[in-house]
Amino acid sequence: MKNVLKFWMTASVVFLISACGYKPSSHMIKNVFSDTVYVEVFVDRAEPENAPYVKDEMNRLVYTRFKGRVVSKEEAQSQIRISYAGSTFIPLAYTDGYVTRYRAVIRVKFDMVNKQGKESKTITSIVESDIQASSLTSSALRTEAIRTGLGKALDEFLAYVSAKGMLKETK
């Protein structure tokens, strides 16, 4: 009896998902970007160590979410230019006069050249984190907060592009 119930539950979920017209975000992104994408990252002079992370993460997202290929600028039909515009740290909590918790505000600008033309999108992500007494640990936590914020900005960019692709499909 349990197996029959599991079968009907699974079948009904599959039917509902397929019947409602659900399409994954990678399908929607293809309405905005072609299969070949060139990714360029502009380095922030204050924090140049984050540029390789952003480049690698965006390349990974092109492969996994766009189902596309990262190619040279000459071969690409679409381009994504990412400018890391720096970060601001706002103290949130103090203990004995020392900052123990802060908010990192990360700004990233995306310039896209795609099938429809050029477009820019600036995304600001916020990460809250604790600070340790050790300066070495604090530096590592600061870098980790920046990378977490950059990852959130990249995910938000993909959600934005997916929504744009859905709008293109409905027209």
Side-chain angles (χ1 to χ4, degrees), residues 98-145:
Y98 294 101
V99 176
T100 56
R101 186 162 182 79
Y102 64 89
R103 175 179 293 147
V105 180
I106 315 299
R107 289 173 309 285
V108 184
K109 181 179 180 193
F110 295 90
D111 294 310
M112 303 172 279
V113 178
N114 54 29
K115 297 175 183 177
Q116 289 77 30
K118 294 182 179 182
E119 187 175 347
S120 292
K121 174 75 173 164
T122 300
I123 295 174
T124 301
S125 64
I126 297 171
V127 177
E128 292 185 5
S129 185
D130 293 325
I131 259 185
Q132 303 295 323
S134 165
S135 62
L136 182 60
T137 307
S138 292
S139 177
L141 288 173
R142 179 179 180 277
T143 301
E144 185 61 32

Side-chain angles (χ1 to χ4, degrees), residues 146-164:
I146 291 171
R147 289 191 176 177
T148 301
L150 290 170
K152 286 172 70 174
L154 291 172
D155 285 340
E156 187 175 332
F157 170 70
L158 288 180
Y160 171 77
V161 171
S162 179
K164 299 266 306 167

